[in-house]
Amino acid sequence: MANLKNVVPGIGVCAAIAVPCWFLGEALPVVGGPVFAILAGMAIALLWKQPSRGTVQDGIAFTAKKVLQYAVILLGFGLNLAQIAAVGAESLPIIASTIATALIVGYILYKVLRMDSAIATLIAVGSSICGGSAIAATAPVIKAKDEQVAQAISVIFLFNVIAALIFPTLGSALGMSNEGFGLFAGTAVNDTSSVTAAAAAWDGMHPGANALDDATIVKLTRTLAIIPITLVLAIMMARKENAAADNATTGAKLLGGFSLKRAFPTFILLFLAASVITTVAVAAGADVATFAPLKTLSRFFIVMAMAAIGLNTDLVKLVRSGAKPILMGLICWACIAAASLAMQHTLGLW
C-alpha cells in the first residue's frame, strides 16, 4: 500500500496530460496522441524541474516503465493470429525484406555515425516494425533511458508525418493498384495511425478503393515481429551483462549459464498470450469488438507513458543531439520505402 501511495500522484499527473493529448490525437491521427503527449511532457519539464516534483516523480517513473509494459501486453488483444495468417501471408516476403533492410542499414549507420547504441536500436526497430509500439516493447528490454526513447519517438514521428502526406501522391504517380498501395502503406509507413492516415487518403483519392483494410492487416502482421526482435535483443543483453560481470568467462560458459526465462521479458510473453487468447476466442465465435476496449486502453496507456517520458526528458539536450538520429531515421525510412517498392515490383504485386 505504501508503494501504491507513492506512485498514484505521478500516475495521476501523467493521466491528466494524456487525456487532452488523446483527443488531439483522435482529431489529428497523422500526428497521434503519443507524439502530442511526449511534446507536452517535454514542454512542462522545461518549467517543472525534476528536483521540485517530490513524491510525484515516483509515479512518473512508474508510468514511463511499467504502464508502458502494460500497454504492450494489451496490444496483443488487437491481434487475431488466424486472420493475420490468412490475409497477411502474401505480404510476408515484403515485410521480411523491409525489416531486414531497416535493421541492416541501422547497424551500418550506428557504426558509421558512431551513434549511441540504444538510440540506434530504437530507431532501427521503430522504423522496421511499427513505430511507437515497437519502441515501447524494445525500450525496457535494452534498458533505454527516457531521453533516448523520446529521441527515437520524435524521429519516427517526423518521417511518419512526411510519409502520410506524400505517399498517396507518390503511389498515384507510380501507377500503383489499390492492393499495391495497401501493401506499400503497411510496410513502408511506421506507426499505425500514420498507416491508416495514408491509406485513408489513398481511398479518398480513388473512390471505391479499400486500401485501408489491406494496409491495416499488413501492419498487424508487421507488429508480430516485435516477438522475435525483442527475444533476440533480450538474449544479446543477457549475454552482454554476463560478459561484463566476468570478462574471463568463455563463450561455452556464457551459453551454459544463459537462462531464456530470465532473459525474455515477461511482458512480451504476456503480449503473445493475449494474442493467442484473442485468436482462440474469435475462432470459438466471440465478436472481435469484445476486445476493442482493451485495444483502446492499450493506446491510452501508451499516451500516458509518452507523457511520463516527456516529463523526464531534457528538451534542450534532445535538440542539441538530434542531428545524427534524424539522419539515421531519414536513411532508414528511404531504404524501407525503396525495398517495399522493389519487392512488390519483383513479385508482380504492383
Side-chain angles (χ1 to χ4, degrees):
M1 288 299 293
N3 289 336
L4 183 62
K5 288 180 181 179
N6 287 339
V7 299
V8 165
I11 294 174
V13 168
C14 296
I17 297 171
V19 169
C21 293
W22 167 272
F23 287 110
L24 282 171
E26 293 293 294
L28 293 169
V30 71
V31 178
V35 173
F36 281 120
I38 205 165
L39 292 175
M42 287 191 290
I44 292 170
L46 288 173
L47 302 174
W48 190 26
K49 298 299 182 181
Q50 216 169 77
S52 65
R53 296 177 194 171
T55 57
V56 173
Q57 184 57 39
D58 290 340
I60 294 173
F62 179 87
T63 306
K65 303 299 181 186
K66 292 297 182 181
V67 173
L68 189 59
Q69 293 180 16
Y70 301 153
V72 174
I73 295 169
L74 293 174
L75 183 68
F77 289 105
L79 297 176
N80 181 346
L81 302 180
Q83 183 187 27
I84 289 172
V87 183
E90 185 183 51
S91 64
L92 285 178
I94 302 173
I95 291 173
S97 298
T98 54
I99 290 176
T101 297
L103 295 178
I104 292 170
V105 170
Y107 180 75
I108 293 171
L109 291 173
Y110 156 67
K111 290 291 189 180
V112 171
L113 298 176
R114 298 180 181 179
M115 290 181 59
D116 176 87
S117 61
I119 293 176
T121 299
L122 292 175
I123 292 174
V125 171
S127 298
S128 63
I129 303 175
C130 55
S133 298
I135 291 172
T138 305
V141 175
I142 64 173
K143 298 179 174 61
K145 298 176 182 177
D146 288 346
E147 288 183 353
Q148 294 166 331
V149 175
Q151 195 149 46
I153 288 283
S154 300
V155 169
I156 296 299
F157 153 71
L158 173 62
F159 296 106
N160 275 341
V161 172
I162 295 173
L165 292 175
I166 71 171
F167 277 7
T169 302
L170 175 63
S172 294
L174 294 173
M176 300 186 77
S177 65
N178 294 325
E179 294 76 13
F181 185 79
L183 275 171
F184 180 51
T187 52
V189 186
N190 303 325
D191 197 71
T192 302
S193 60
S194 296
V195 169
T196 56
W202 172 273
D203 289 346
M205 294 166 60
H206 302 81
N210 192 25
L212 181 57
D213 285 352
D214 291 337
T216 302
I217 292 297
V218 173
K219 182 65 177 62
L220 291 176
T221 307
R222 274 175 75 192
T223 302
L224 289 178
I226 287 176
I227 298 169
I229 291 294
T230 50
L231 174 59
V232 170
L233 288 172
I235 292 173
M236 291 173 64
M237 286 296 294
R239 294 184 64 177
K240 184 177 179 181
E241 289 171 358
N242 285 347
D246 184 2
N247 290 327
T249 302
T250 65
K253 288 182 179 179
L254 268 174
L255 290 173
F258 175 73
S259 168
L260 180 63
K261 181 179 179 181
R262 187 172 63 249
F264 199 36
T266 302
F267 74 95
I268 295 296
L269 292 175
L270 294 175
F271 162 79
L272 180 58
S275 304
V276 172
I277 290 170
T278 301
T279 304
V280 172
V282 171
D287 189 345
V288 177
T290 304
F291 298 100
L294 295 175
K295 291 165 58 180
T296 301
L297 184 60
S298 170
R299 291 167 54 209
F300 184 74
F301 276 0
I302 288 179
V303 176
M304 281 183 61
M306 291 305 112
I309 287 169
L311 288 170
N312 285 337
T313 299
D314 185 334
L315 181 58
V316 176
K317 183 179 177 182
L318 187 69
V319 171
R320 286 176 178 169
S321 60
K324 288 183 180 180
I326 290 173
L327 178 59
M328 179 181 182
L330 171 62
I331 296 174
C332 283
W333 174 70
C335 289
I336 290 170
S340 177
L341 291 172
M343 282 297 296
Q344 280 202 57
H345 191 268
T346 301
L347 296 172
L349 299 175
W350 164 5

